[in-house]
C-alpha cells in the first residue's frame, strides 16, 4: 500500500462512521507532513445541517488545531469528489492538494460538473489527484444506496 492509499483508508474509515449513522458514506482526513490533523465524515441528516459535509467538518477541525484558517502545506484525502460548496471552501482554505477516491458525475466540482479546484481565474489553485482506492470508495456508496432502496421497498410493503 502506498502513502496515498494509506491515508485514503483512513478516509474510508471515516466514511464508515457516516454509514453507521445511515448517512451517505463520505469521509475525509487532512494531513500535514505525515500527520493526520483532522478527520471528518458526512453528518448532514444527523446534524440537520446543509453545511455538515465531511470536508467542511474536517476543515473546521484542522483550522481549530492549527489556529489558522489557512491550510497551506496540507493535503485532504476524501472518498468522493467534493461538491461546489466544499470545493469552494478548499480553494478558500488555500490547501495544497486534494486526493480523491471516486468521482461524482452528477455533483462533483473537481472535474465532473465543474473543476473549481483548478480554475485559472482564482488566486489559488489546488492540485488534484483522482482515483485512489476508487473501487473501494465507489462500492461503499453503491452498497449504501442499494441498502437504502431495499429498506424503502420493505417499508412500503409494511405500510401496504
Ligand atoms: Zn460538499
Amino acid at each position: 500500500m502506498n502513502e496515498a492509499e494509506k491515508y485514503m483508508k483512513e478516509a474510508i474509515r471515516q466514511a464508515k462512521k457516516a454509514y453507521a449513522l445511515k448517512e451517505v458514506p463520505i469521509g475525509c482526513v487532512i494531513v500535514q507532513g505525515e500527520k493526520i490533523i483532522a478527520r471528518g465524515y458526512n453528518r448532514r441528516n444527523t446534524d440537520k445541517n446543509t453545511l455538515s459535509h465531511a470536508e467542511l467538518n474536517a476543515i473546521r477541525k484542522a483550522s481549530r488545531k492549527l489556529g489558522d484558517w489557512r491550510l497551506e502545506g496540507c493535503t485532504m484525502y476524501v472518498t468522493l469528489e467534493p461538491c461546489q460548496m466544499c470545493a469552494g471552501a478548499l480553494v478558500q482554505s488555500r490547501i495544497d492538494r486534494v486526493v480523491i477516491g471516486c468521482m461524482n458525475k452528477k455533483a462533483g466540482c473537481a472535474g465532473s460538473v465543474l473543476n473549481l479546484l483548478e480554475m485559472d481565474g482564482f488566486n489559488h489553485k489546488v492540485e488534484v489527484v483522482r482515483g485512489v482506492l476508487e473501487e473501494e470508495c465507489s462500492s461503499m456508496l453503491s452498497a449504501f444506496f442499494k441498502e437504502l432502496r431495499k429498506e424503502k421497498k420493505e417499508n412500503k410493503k409494511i405500510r401496504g
Side-chain angles (χ1 to χ4, degrees):
M1 205 189 302
N2 65 32
E3 205 188 58
E5 289 171 345
K6 185 182 96 184
Y7 292 123
M8 191 58 77
K9 279 272 183 202
E10 291 298 320
I12 290 169
R13 203 199 296 262
Q14 291 301 306
K16 285 180 178 162
K17 289 188 182 176
Y19 202 129
L21 292 173
K22 299 194 180 220
E23 299 269 7
V24 179
I26 304 162
C28 69
V29 295
I30 296 176
V31 175
Q32 188 187 48
E34 290 182 355
K35 207 171 156 237
I36 295 176
I37 58 163
R39 296 171 166 83
Y41 58 93
N42 175 33
R43 299 175 48 92
R44 191 171 55 178
N45 285 317
T46 306
D47 294 344
K48 302 193 178 11
N49 192 332
T50 305
L51 307 178
S52 205
H53 285 196
E55 299 94 316
L56 294 192
N57 289 336
I59 287 171
R60 207 175 290 117
K61 285 184 197 162
S63 291
R64 205 179 296 142
K65 185 137 192 179
L66 298 176
D68 196 340
W69 59 267
R70 294 176 197 85
L71 301 182
E72 284 162 5
C74 296
T75 297
M76 175 180 282
Y77 294 82
V78 58
T79 57
L80 180 69
E81 182 184 8
C83 71
Q84 66 274 51
M85 172 177 74
C86 294
L90 285 161
V91 173
Q92 289 290 332
S93 78
R94 307 216 182 129
I95 200 163
D96 286 15
R97 207 156 64 106
V98 173
V99 180
I100 297 168
C102 62
M103 299 300 275
N104 187 0
K105 287 208 164 54
K106 287 179 186 164
C109 287
S112 290
V113 178
L114 282 174
N115 189 351
L116 287 172
L117 297 179
E118 296 174 302
M119 290 255 302
D120 279 327
F122 292 139
N123 63 345
H124 181 77
K125 263 204 230 180
V126 182
E127 186 193 332
V128 184
V129 178
R130 300 175 183 87
V132 174
L133 298 183
E134 184 172 10
E135 187 55 45
E136 200 173 329
C137 291
S138 73
S139 62
M140 180 171 55
L141 283 163
S142 6
F144 173 80
F145 286 114
K146 197 175 160 191
E147 224 170 85
L148 197 70
R149 280 194 298 270
K150 201 178 139 204
E151 233 169 72
K152 271 188 187 160
K153 221 175 176 181
E154 275 164 15
N155 283 345
K156 233 184 207 171
K157 256 188 234 160
I158 292 165
R159 280 193 232 112

